[in-house]
Amino acid sequence: MTAGAEIAGLCKSFTVGDRVVSVLDGLDFTQRDGITVVLGASGCGKTTLLRLIARMDVQDTGSIRIRGTGSIGMVFQEPRLMPWLTTVQNIRFGLGRGACDTQRLLELTGLTGFEKALPHQLSGGMQHRVALARALANRPALVLMDEPFAALDQLTRERMQDQLLALQRAEGMNVLFVTHSIDEALYVGDRIVVLTHGRIDADHDVAHVPGQRSRAPDLEFTRLIRSTIQGEAPC
Ligand SMILES: Nc1ncnc2c1ncn2[C@@H]1O[C@H](COP(=O)(O)OP(=O)(O)O)[C@@H](O)[C@H]1O
Ligand SMILES: [Mg+2]
């Protein structure tokens, strides 16, 4: 297996006022190749998990190892572009000289012709594509994505999901993709793990027919996931 997160016994709690809130409670997880989706309800600890993996925060106990070599890219829920920088400057922000082939990234993300645009001159979907291109500019072996398309309208979101699948095929990086959407998880994921009660509670491989991912809702899977999240046994 190439790059990926290996997590054992991960615990993280926050102190809010005089209350200690346990968010991650002994989470174990070994990432495999491809696109792994971490699916969970809002507030279950998905962002906390990604922030710990990206070393933006520190766990209470437990270990996180990043297997393999290469850099890590991160895509947030909002594009977080520098408003005073153009598309190309945003993509190259923080890179050494010659670290990436910007032209190729622009083509891959459909931004050719918008090299000199400032973020406010781009649509929401295009700003997300710039953020995606920026995350890929270092040729990362692992990309962490935190509900990257949640703020987009449905049509743009579907286009971005297809773009991500195409990019992953072209670049071969592994992706840890966080979402609260069961349909999105089923469409982009090669594997779906469900985060609930501070742990990974279910682990599903998704059997896609090559080249034919379906957007039709999978009622059986949806029912199974709902029962996992709600803590009821599926019947
Ligand atoms: N810095 C923080 N201080 C206090 N509580 C936090 C902090 N970050 C997250 N939390 C709490 O941890 C829980 C999980 O948050 P989060 O990881 O953002 O969930 P998700 O991304 O799944 O919606 C929430 O109850 C949230 O209020
Ligand atoms: Mg979150």
Side-chain angles (χ1 to χ4, degrees):
M1 283 192 289
T2 50
E6 294 186 358
I7 300 172
L10 191 67
C11 292
K12 176 72 181 173
S13 53
F14 293 105
T15 306
V16 183
D18 53 3
R19 241 163 48 91
V20 176
V21 181
S22 167
V23 179
L24 302 178
D25 182 22
L27 182 144
D28 296 309
F29 169 68
T30 299
Q31 189 179 351
R32 296 201 293 268
D33 287 352
I35 301 182
T36 303
V37 173
V38 179
L39 175 64
S42 176
C44 76
K46 303 183 296 298
T47 295
T48 303
L49 174 63
L50 278 198
R51 284 175 53 83
L52 291 173
I53 295 172
R55 307 274 188 246
M56 293 162 74
D57 202 349
V58 181
Q59 64 265 37
D60 302 333
T61 55
S63 68
I64 301 175
R65 194 173 85 87
I66 305 295
R67 185 186 60 238
T69 51
S71 66
I72 300 181
M74 180 114 187
V75 185
F76 303 91
Q77 189 161 339
E78 335 76 51
R80 298 197 189 184
L81 303 177
M82 303 295 171
W84 61 89
L85 296 183
T86 64
T87 295
V88 167
Q89 289 167 337
N90 264 297
I91 292 173
R92 299 187 66 86
F93 185 80
L95 291 180
R97 270 151 64 89
C100 73
D101 180 350
T102 317
Q103 212 49 50
R104 185 162 167 279
L105 270 177
L106 286 165
E107 277 164 35
L108 279 171
T109 49
L111 289 164
T112 309
F114 294 91
E115 290 84 348
K116 291 187 177 155
L118 293 168
H120 79 270
Q121 297 170 321
L122 301 173
S123 70
M126 292 165 97
Q127 292 182 23
H128 274 81
R129 295 209 295 270
V130 177
L132 196 53
R134 179 182 55 189
L136 297 177
N138 253 331
R139 298 198 145 259
L142 172 62
V143 181
L144 308 175
M145 304 182 84
D146 190 0
E147 310 217 38
F149 312 141
L152 299 172
D153 64 85
Q154 187 177 344
L155 290 177
T156 310
R157 180 162 63 240
E158 290 183 358
R159 244 179 266 137
M160 292 296 296
Q161 290 165 349
D162 285 328
Q163 205 116 36
L164 170 67
L165 292 172
L167 282 167
Q168 200 268 335
R169 268 194 301 274
E171 301 290 291
M173 73 283 185
N174 288 332
V175 179
L176 197 57
F177 186 102
V178 157
T179 183
H180 65 263
S181 159
I182 296 174
D183 292 344
E184 179 166 71
L186 270 170
Y187 189 69
V188 302
D190 297 310
R191 177 189 179 200
I192 300 174
V193 298
V194 181
L195 175 56
T196 179
H197 303 121
R199 294 172 189 226
I200 299 299
D201 214 38
D203 189 339
H204 305 273
D205 284 314
V206 186
H208 294 289
V209 181
Q212 302 186 19
R213 292 194 181 224
S214 163
R215 290 199 182 274
D218 183 327
L219 297 178
E220 207 174 311
F221 185 80
T222 302
R223 200 155 139 266
L224 178 68
I225 297 298
R226 280 186 200 280
S227 65
T228 306
I229 292 174
Q230 289 160 4
E232 298 159 8
C235 50

